[in-house]
Amino acid sequence: MSLNHVILNVTTRSTRITRHTTVGVICLKKRYGAADYSIVCLMVAGLVMFMHADAHTSAVFQPVGITMLIISLLCDGAVSNLSEALMNQYEVGQDEFIFRLYSVATFFICIAAAAKGDLRDG
């Protein structure tokens, strides 16, 4: 496993709480306690130091790749907050929510596979 993959994995996993909190505050108008905000601030400070140290190595940062990563991470935060809001609004448990989500996704994947001919050809 390359070092670049490890760095990307650490960065994306450790920013999950930051994304979740930021999207929750901006989009869903959620309120968190002071401890949650301080945790997010400490995470951001740690990531800034981590990325600053990494910037002085021979790593190559592509603007398109960074933009795509940021969009992906923001969408991840939005989906997790939206899922939580929908489960609370309709009083659905996590298991039922995931079952229904995967059922709808399977239906549309089967339609796409049939349209492409993958179901006929095997």
Side-chain angles (χ1 to χ4, degrees):
M1 184 172 1
S2 74
L3 185 58
N4 288 336
H5 179 70
V6 171
I7 290 170
L8 179 64
N9 199 9
V10 166
T11 305
T12 55
R13 288 188 186 274
S14 61
T15 59
R16 183 167 189 86
I17 188 170
T18 306
R19 295 186 313 259
H20 186 77
T21 305
T22 304
V23 172
V25 168
I26 293 172
C27 296
L28 298 176
K29 309 296 185 218
K30 282 185 165 184
R31 295 291 170 236
Y32 297 97
D36 294 326
Y37 288 117
S38 61
I39 288 170
V40 169
C41 289
L42 288 172
M43 288 294 300
V44 169
L47 288 169
V48 166
M49 288 188 287
F50 181 76
M51 294 304 289
H52 179 70
D54 192 43
H56 294 297
T57 63
S58 62
V60 177
F61 293 99
Q62 296 293 329
V64 174
I66 292 172
T67 303
M68 290 173 64
L69 178 64
I70 289 170
I71 291 170
S72 171
L73 295 175
L74 289 174
C75 288
D76 179 54
V79 166
S80 63
N81 279 296
L82 182 61
S83 299
E84 182 181 338
L86 288 173
M87 286 189 289
N88 290 334
Q89 180 181 356
Y90 295 108
E91 298 177 0
V92 175
Q94 185 176 4
D95 293 336
E96 183 179 356
F97 180 80
I98 291 173
F99 172 74
R100 289 177 185 240
L101 179 69
Y102 285 6
S103 296
V104 170
T106 301
F107 175 74
F108 284 110
I109 288 172
C110 287
I111 289 175
K116 190 177 175 190
D118 288 342
L119 295 180
R120 268 191 324 270
D121 300 335

